[in-house]
Amino acid sequence: MRLDQNSFTIRIASSPEDVAGAQRLRYRVFVEEMGAHTSPEDAALRLERDAFDAHFDHLVLIDEAARPQDPLDRVVGAYRLMRSDVARAGPGFYGQSEYDLSLLLDSPRASVELGRSCVHPDYRGGMAMHLLWSAVGEYVTRNDIEILFGVASFPGANPEPLAEPLSMLWQNHLAPPDLRVRTLPQHYVEMNRIPREQIDQKRAMLAVPSLIKAYLRLGGCVGDGAYCDHEFNTVDVCLVMDTGRMQSRYRDYYGRTEGILK
């Protein structure tokens, strides 16, 4: 599908309709594509939503040229973002149900939780994700964010078939101690499952989902332990990115984007 960048608007949701558009896209991706569970009420509306939505900033990518039957379907890319000051003031981070995030909550450095990242299947493969990442970069700059983190997922809730990529991530990309969040003890799934000498590094990386690879290219690293999310039918890892440690070419690029975020 050929895309014209000028046909897109990207903004922090400014209306209930914007948020509902993000939830509609999330339903399509997480429920219809990935098999996540949802309530009968949300299934009837085709929305994927939770109580945390009220506390997040919702980044939405809108195709202004699209003319779908339902206006909610004009949202073709989405992220939700929660700053640490918002988390501390009330709900906490969404990821606290899976990970001990006290290192980040107690830090004086400003952080933001990235979650529910998704792109409509017709818009995958380049520009849409580039626009979302550029907008995240501008958001980070505007809010003086130093640490970005969020859960990213492998499809399927069984860690056994993922032993090689999980081990590779732990062995090669484990976060430094000051950023090494850990899966809660009751949910902890060992990532380091195969000795290094038995891993085919190329094959392991090919098995890593594209979003996780994008975080790694930005200089991201993984927390200690995976989490099996049976509700969403995924195995999750927590990615953490320190803007001070990001590879300079990405930091410079995303740090200088201005004007894309409405």
Side-chain angles (χ1 to χ4, degrees):
M1 182 177 186
R2 190 168 184 175
L3 304 178
D4 178 4
Q5 181 172 335
N6 295 324
S7 72
F8 291 100
T9 295
I10 189 162
R11 63 174 175 252
I12 298 300
S14 57
S15 68
E17 290 74 22
D18 279 352
V19 175
Q23 293 167 335
R24 169 65 53 78
L25 177 63
R26 284 158 38 184
Y27 184 89
R28 174 166 189 154
V29 173
F30 300 128
V31 178
E32 295 181 342
E33 284 190 48
M34 299 178 62
H37 299 292
T38 190
S39 69
E41 295 79 11
D42 288 351
L45 296 170
R46 297 183 62 243
L47 300 177
E48 192 283 307
R49 54 188 179 173
D50 64 24
F52 278 84
D53 277 329
H55 304 283
F56 275 87
D57 286 333
H58 296 265
L59 181 63
V60 291
L61 177 66
I62 299 165
D63 185 354
E64 302 288 2
R67 296 293 182 267
Q69 186 174 1
D70 188 332
L72 296 185
D73 292 323
R74 293 169 64 237
V75 174
V76 298
Y79 246 114
R80 67 179 192 178
L81 315 166
M82 185 187 289
R83 301 188 313 275
S84 51
D85 59 316
V86 176
R88 283 192 290 266
F93 288 123
Y94 171 82
Q96 284 177 259
S97 63
E98 301 182 13
Y99 288 85
D100 179 357
L101 299 176
S102 55
L103 275 174
L104 305 180
L105 276 170
D106 296 342
S107 173
R109 305 176 70 198
S111 61
V112 64
E113 180 177 26
L114 310 176
R116 293 296 201 272
S117 168
C118 53
V119 174
H120 189 287
D122 292 345
Y123 293 78
R124 293 172 191 164
M127 183 183 296
M129 202 67 217
H130 172 77
L131 292 172
L132 285 169
W133 265 110
S134 296
V136 168
E138 188 168 339
Y139 181 94
V140 164
T141 301
R142 285 185 186 181
N143 291 283
D144 297 319
I145 301 296
E146 295 187 56
I147 300 169
L148 298 81
F149 74 97
V151 168
S153 304
F154 288 83
N158 181 3
E160 290 303 324
L162 304 172
E164 190 169 58
L166 289 175
S167 300
M168 182 274 296
L169 288 174
W170 192 93
Q171 292 166 13
N172 298 339
H173 300 283
L174 187 64
D178 61 315
L179 295 176
R180 192 178 300 165
V181 301
R182 197 173 195 272
T183 310
L184 294 170
Q186 65 270 33
H187 301 307
Y188 185 88
V189 174
E190 178 65 59
M191 294 176 67
N192 190 26
R193 308 170 82 86
I194 299 177
R196 182 184 296 272
E197 63 272 13
Q198 296 179 20
I199 294 176
D200 181 321
Q201 297 290 328
K202 182 177 180 181
R203 182 176 63 204
M205 186 57 77
L206 287 172
V208 173
S210 58
L211 180 61
I212 297 177
K213 283 190 275 201
Y215 288 145
L216 297 179
R217 285 194 295 270
L218 288 167
C221 44
V222 297
D224 182 15
Y227 172 85
C228 292
D229 190 334
H230 295 283
E231 182 179 355
F232 269 79
N233 191 35
T234 59
V235 172
D236 299 342
V237 294
C238 190
L239 276 293
V240 186
M241 290 159 284
D242 184 334
T243 59
R245 295 168 175 161
M246 285 171 68
Q247 294 184 32
S248 60
R249 65 192 180 98
Y250 288 105
R251 183 177 63 245
D252 293 345
Y253 179 80
Y254 288 110
R256 70 168 180 261
T257 56
E258 292 185 14
I260 190 173
L261 187 58
K262 305 300 182 184

